[in-house]
Amino acid sequence: MHSFIDNNFDAILVLDISGVITRVNPAFVKMLGYSKQEVEGKSAFNCAFLPEEELRQLVTLHEMVMRGESLSSIECVRATKSGVQLNIMLSVTPFYNDRNQIDSWIIVVADRTAQKQDQERLIANQEELDIFIQNNSDGIAFFDESGSLIKMNKSVETIFGYSFKELQNISYYNIPIVSEEMKIKLTEQFMRDSVIRNFEVEGVTKEGRKLPMLVSITPLTKTITTYGVVIKDISQLRSAQSSLNRSEALSMIGQLAAGVAHEIRNPLTSLKGFTKLIELKANIESKHYFEIMNDEFNRIELILNEMLGVAKPHNDRVIKTEVSAIIEYAIALLQTQAVMKSIEIVTEFIDNPVIECDDNQIKQVFINVVKNAIEAMDQGGQITVRAVQPNEDGIQVEVIDQGEGMTPAQLAKLTEPFYSTKEKGTGLGLMMCLNIMEHHKGFLKFESELGKGTRVILGLPVRQ
């Protein structure tokens, strides 16, 4: 027994029935730094290697061993001679004499300090990883091998509107945030490559709104029992790219329009002048043709003005003006046209905000929008112009008509250059309006449903 104790790699000490240390092995001396003379013959309850806060546990262990219990895997702390505290794992075994009475107890001491530190580091790393996952702006979710959602961060809920409770019992194959077609494509890609990186798909929010997003799927173990999914909402990126493309298109079209308009305006002026001179000498039968010619000249001038408006959207001046004054000016200008089509224009003002803008350009925008509303209503009806000030930073004006409305496809192309839903439209008017609004740091939005009319929303900041 003595040979087994002395040659064991683990630290061992032997206590008699009263708790006095009768023997320690070399491994114990090496671990704690106390010599055999400093330890043997002393009570374990009074040894320097026992921290005071551990005394109560040792008394409890002593009582349990005296009842004949064998104890193992007991975590505690012991101090080396140099004062370093070690995380210890104890295994306590009672030793019986030939009369079957507890004669002593043998304690095997294993240093678990390194493992404890590794475990603490692992826990800390796990906590850091959890914080990173939870605070990540991208949606992050984990699925088990059966396809069930086992964890997700707040960004998934923010992007799609579903809580974890709503999705946790739903299989990947039934999860509502991706269409069936996209699930099939993702599955085929994953089966082929075992990993997916930045696969562009179309997601669906709880409200039914569609989102462009990039999906990456990675197995988290070699046996592929758990999957990590990263979802990046790229709707803002797509919107920014669309705005950039539109700005570049506007710049190119503006330069082209300015050149064409200037080249056409001079000969047009000459043509109008000579036509007037000829008209004075023409007979009565020819008057009708001159009316048509003058109408067409006026139409060409209107197109030229729109082209120049696209070419020169910058604010020439900025003044303070009441929103109601701009709206009333536009309505007064178009009132006759509205009455002729049995259309009533109703205004609703909540407060009367004052904004800083180039009033001539903003008047042009409202004239264009209200004019479009009138032209969309062949059966008469009501146009509502509503102005509100949602906050101190900006105002919002809505122009709501009861016209034919538009399809989603028409709505998507509405501000594209040279696209028009009107038979004689140039497709430049709304493009010019959008350009003016953006240069005023505002926005122009359209909502429409076929057969139910159109709602145009104009937003402008209070200050430039």
Side-chain angles (χ1 to χ4, degrees):
M1 177 61 73
H2 288 169
S3 177
F4 169 77
I5 291 172
D6 289 344
N7 292 290
N8 204 293
F9 288 106
D10 288 326
I12 298 177
L13 65 162
V14 182
L15 277 67
D16 65 15
I17 196 69
S18 63
V20 174
I21 301 171
T22 60
R23 191 178 191 88
V24 294
N25 68 350
F28 180 90
V29 173
K30 182 179 179 181
M31 179 188 294
L32 296 176
Y34 292 95
S35 65
K36 294 170 69 70
Q37 292 77 14
E38 291 175 298
V39 176
E40 291 179 350
K42 294 185 178 180
S43 172
F45 299 96
N46 297 322
C47 280
F49 59 76
L50 179 70
E52 187 177 346
E53 61 272 15
E54 296 286 325
L55 179 59
R56 182 176 297 178
Q57 185 192 42
L58 186 59
V59 172
T60 303
L61 293 177
H62 184 266
E63 292 172 351
M64 294 172 70
V65 172
M66 292 304 293
R67 292 195 297 268
E69 298 180 33
S70 180
L71 309 177
S72 61
S73 302
I74 300 164
E75 291 187 13
C76 56
V77 176
R78 295 293 181 265
T80 66
K81 188 173 182 178
S82 60
V84 177
Q85 290 199 335
L86 302 179
N87 293 290
I88 297 297
M89 187 72 72
L90 296 183
S91 176
V92 185
T93 306
F95 195 74
Y96 295 84
N97 58 22
D98 54 3
R99 295 187 299 278
N100 202 32
Q101 295 174 333
I102 296 177
D103 180 69
S104 57
W105 29 311
I106 299 174
I107 303 176
V108 179
V109 182
D111 183 3
R112 293 289 183 267
T113 303
Q115 291 90 327
K116 184 78 171 179
Q117 291 173 346
D118 290 342
Q119 185 180 14
E120 289 174 350
R121 279 196 295 269
L122 183 62
I123 292 172
N125 290 340
Q126 183 63 47
E127 289 175 350
E128 291 174 357
L129 181 60
D130 286 341
I131 292 171
F132 170 78
I133 291 171
Q134 287 303 324
N135 294 321
N136 202 296
S137 58
D138 293 336
I140 301 176
F142 300 94
F143 294 83
D144 62 19
E145 58 186 343
S146 67
S148 296
L149 179 68
I150 55 178
K151 188 176 182 180
M152 75 180 203
N153 66 354
K154 283 289 183 183
S155 292
V156 176
E157 183 175 348
T158 302
I159 294 170
F160 296 103
Y162 291 98
S163 67
F164 176 68
K165 288 184 179 179
E166 291 176 290
L167 299 177
Q168 63 177 334
N169 295 321
I170 302 176
S171 167
Y172 159 78
Y173 303 99
N174 297 319
I175 205 160
I177 63 177
V178 182
S179 68
E180 295 300 319
E181 181 183 357
M182 289 300 177
K183 286 176 195 170
I184 293 171
K185 289 182 178 180
L186 283 169
T187 303
E188 290 174 349
Q189 179 82 8
F190 188 77
M191 293 297 291
R192 185 168 58 249
D193 300 332
S194 298
V195 66
I196 294 175
R197 291 187 178 90
N198 293 328
F199 192 90
E200 187 167 346
V201 301
E202 186 176 72
V204 183
T205 67
K206 191 175 182 179
E207 294 78 22
R209 185 166 53 91
K210 293 182 179 179
L211 291 176
M213 59 188 191
L214 297 178
V215 174
S216 298
I217 303 177
T218 306
L220 302 182
T221 58
K222 290 183 179 180
T223 55
I224 317 181
T225 57
T226 309
Y227 307 88
V229 180
V230 179
I231 303 165
K232 182 183 288 292
D233 177 8
I234 57 171
S235 55
Q236 290 185 348
L237 177 62
R238 287 286 177 268
S239 177
Q241 288 176 338
S242 177
S243 296
L244 179 61
N245 292 339
R246 189 174 65 248
S247 296
E248 291 175 350
L250 281 171
S251 177
M252 292 176 61
I253 292 169
Q255 293 176 25
L256 176 63
V260 171
H262 285 298
E263 290 297 323
I264 294 175
R265 178 160 282 181
N266 290 332
L268 178 64
T269 303
S270 300
L271 286 172
K272 285 182 68 176
F274 287 125
T275 303
K276 282 291 182 184
L277 290 174
I278 298 171
E279 184 181 0
L280 294 173
K281 299 178 182 180
N283 55 39
I284 297 174
E285 290 80 8
S286 303
K287 290 289 184 183
H288 174 65
Y289 298 112
F290 285 101
E291 289 176 2
I292 295 173
M293 291 170 67
N294 286 323
D295 287 342
E296 292 303 314
F297 284 142
N298 291 334
R299 175 169 162 72
I300 293 172
E301 276 193 323
L302 178 63
I303 294 171
L304 291 176
N305 289 334
E306 288 185 345
M307 292 175 73
L308 288 172
V310 171
K312 187 183 178 184
H314 303 287
N315 304 342
D316 294 323
R317 59 177 190 151
V318 174
I319 63 168
K320 289 185 177 181
T321 183
E322 293 180 344
V323 173
S324 62
I326 295 175
I327 294 173
E328 287 168 356
Y329 175 87
I331 293 173
L333 198 65
L334 299 167
Q335 190 67 51
T336 303
Q337 186 178 342
V339 170
M340 290 175 63
K341 296 187 72 173
S342 301
I343 296 171
E344 180 187 12
I345 302 177
V346 178
T347 57
E348 297 176 4
F349 297 109
I350 301 174
D351 298 329
N352 185 19
V354 175
I355 61 171
E356 294 178 355
C357 67
D358 182 333
D359 61 331
N360 289 329
Q361 289 193 2
I362 300 301
K363 283 176 184 177
Q364 191 175 1
V365 171
F366 278 102
I367 290 169
N368 201 303
V369 171
V370 175
K371 184 172 180 288
N372 284 347
I374 293 171
E375 291 175 352
M377 295 171 60
D378 292 330
Q379 306 301 321
Q382 179 177 294
I383 295 173
T384 303
V385 182
R386 182 183 299 123
V388 296
Q389 185 169 353
N391 55 57
E392 61 181 9
D393 296 325
I395 62 102
Q396 186 170 296
V397 180
E398 299 174 354
V399 179
I400 306 165
D401 67 49
Q402 297 174 341
E404 297 178 1
M406 289 175 282
T407 64
Q410 289 175 321
L411 203 59
K413 296 181 178 181
L414 204 54
T415 56
E416 289 184 5
F418 307 112
Y419 175 82
S420 177
T421 58
K422 294 181 287 188
E423 185 179 347
K424 293 186 177 181
T426 63
L428 293 173
L430 286 179
M431 183 180 175
M432 176 189 65
C433 292
L434 180 62
N435 209 11
I436 290 172
M437 295 298 286
E438 289 182 345
H439 275 84
H440 278 79
K441 310 302 180 186
F443 62 83
L444 187 64
K445 296 180 181 178
F446 302 88
E447 296 175 0
S448 187
E449 189 174 347
L450 201 61
K452 293 187 178 181
T454 300
R455 177 170 172 254
V456 183
I457 306 164
L458 305 94
L460 281 165
V462 174
R463 297 175 186 84
Q464 288 296 306

